[in-house]
Amino acid sequence: MIPFSPLIIDCDFPLLYKSFLNTYKPSDNQVITYSVRTSIYTYLKIKKYPSGSKVLITSINIPTILDILNDLNLEYI
């Protein structure tokens, strides 16, 4: 991952490549963000998961992600 690059979730390689070349324009349903914590918080908030829902997390390297899950009353696995 390139430092300070946008977080793009659920994308294919050509889309990722275009984003690195700054030729990609997001559609109505997409957002490019430069903050992992803010984007994850916003995504989980929009999805409105019920309190106590379990979220599978792999290879955490940002400890505050767990704080975000706790703030939203979600459980992490």
Side-chain angles (χ1 to χ4, degrees):
M1 181 120 208
I2 299 171
F4 305 108
S5 66
L7 172 67
I8 301 178
I9 300 172
D10 292 335
C11 71
D12 55 7
F13 180 75
L15 176 65
L16 186 62
Y17 184 73
K18 285 180 181 179
S19 73
F20 289 142
L21 296 177
N22 292 323
T23 60
Y24 174 72
K25 302 291 184 215
S27 69
D28 293 336
N29 220 10
Q30 298 172 328
V31 175
I32 295 177
T33 177
Y34 290 91
S35 171
V36 174
R37 290 179 293 268
T38 302
S39 61
I40 289 175
Y41 178 82
T42 303
Y43 174 79
L44 293 171
K45 193 77 167 166
I46 289 171
K47 293 301 275 185
K48 297 181 182 176
Y49 291 116
S51 182
S53 294
K54 295 182 180 181
V55 178
L56 178 63
I57 298 181
T58 59
S59 185
I60 296 176
N61 58 6
I62 303 173
T64 55
I65 298 300
L66 300 179
D67 295 335
I68 291 170
L69 293 173
N70 286 333
D71 183 60
L72 295 171
N73 295 319
L74 301 172
E75 294 180 29
Y76 52 88
I77 299 174

